[in-house]
Amino acid sequence: MDTMSVNAALVDSAAAVAETRDATRAFLASLEQPAVAREAADTVVLVVSELVTNALRHGGGACTLRLTAHRDTIEVAVDDHSPRVPRMRTPDLRGRAGGFGWPMVNDLADVTTVVRRPGGGKTVGALLGR
């Protein structure tokens, strides 16, 4: 099992999200047995991007990303400071209020979880196939 942690802060959210995408790709590329298929890697990067963006935007401006590689899966966990859990809502087709990310993460991941942390905040997790 391989593990990686990345810290992202809302100094510049576009840069923080781009850095986590790059770090995720590098982590996935470093895995050997079994290697992560390209399509699976693209899916993991997309899920990381959505979860980190949501954490920065709605979770208090800072988050921590943890990636864990298991034999058949990649586990994504994003901690933030907000106790508010993600919720399904009607997507805004005019592009103003979003609403697409959480349903997409749930469609792409094999399993999603939201766990409130005892000290405050929450961890949003997604388990994806390799």
Side-chain angles (χ1 to χ4, degrees):
M1 177 167 57
D2 296 302
T3 305
M4 167 189 134
S5 290
V6 176
N7 293 316
L10 187 61
V11 174
D12 177 359
S13 66
V17 174
E19 288 171 14
T20 59
R21 281 194 300 263
D22 292 344
T24 299
R25 283 203 184 280
F27 173 73
L28 296 172
S30 74
L31 300 175
E32 294 180 5
Q33 296 299 331
V36 178
R38 182 182 173 107
E39 185 175 317
D42 290 343
T43 301
V44 171
V45 170
L46 180 57
V47 167
V48 164
S49 183
E50 284 298 323
L51 292 181
V52 169
T53 297
N54 287 346
L56 292 172
R57 184 175 294 153
H58 305 293
C63 68
T64 301
L65 165 66
R66 286 187 318 281
L67 300 172
T68 305
H70 303 280
R71 174 141 182 79
D72 297 322
T73 59
I74 302 294
E75 184 177 352
V76 177
V78 178
D79 301 327
D80 67 45
H81 300 294
S82 173
R84 290 181 27 211
V85 299
R87 61 183 174 85
M88 295 290 190
R89 57 190 173 101
T90 303
D92 181 357
L93 298 178
R94 293 184 213 130
R96 295 183 202 144
F100 295 93
W102 185 237
M104 181 178 63
V105 167
N106 279 275
D107 285 344
L108 293 173
D110 296 333
V111 176
T112 57
T113 58
V114 180
V115 178
R116 288 194 168 118
R117 295 192 327 260
K122 66 183 171 300
T123 301
V124 179
L127 193 63
L128 299 109
R130 269 178 96 136

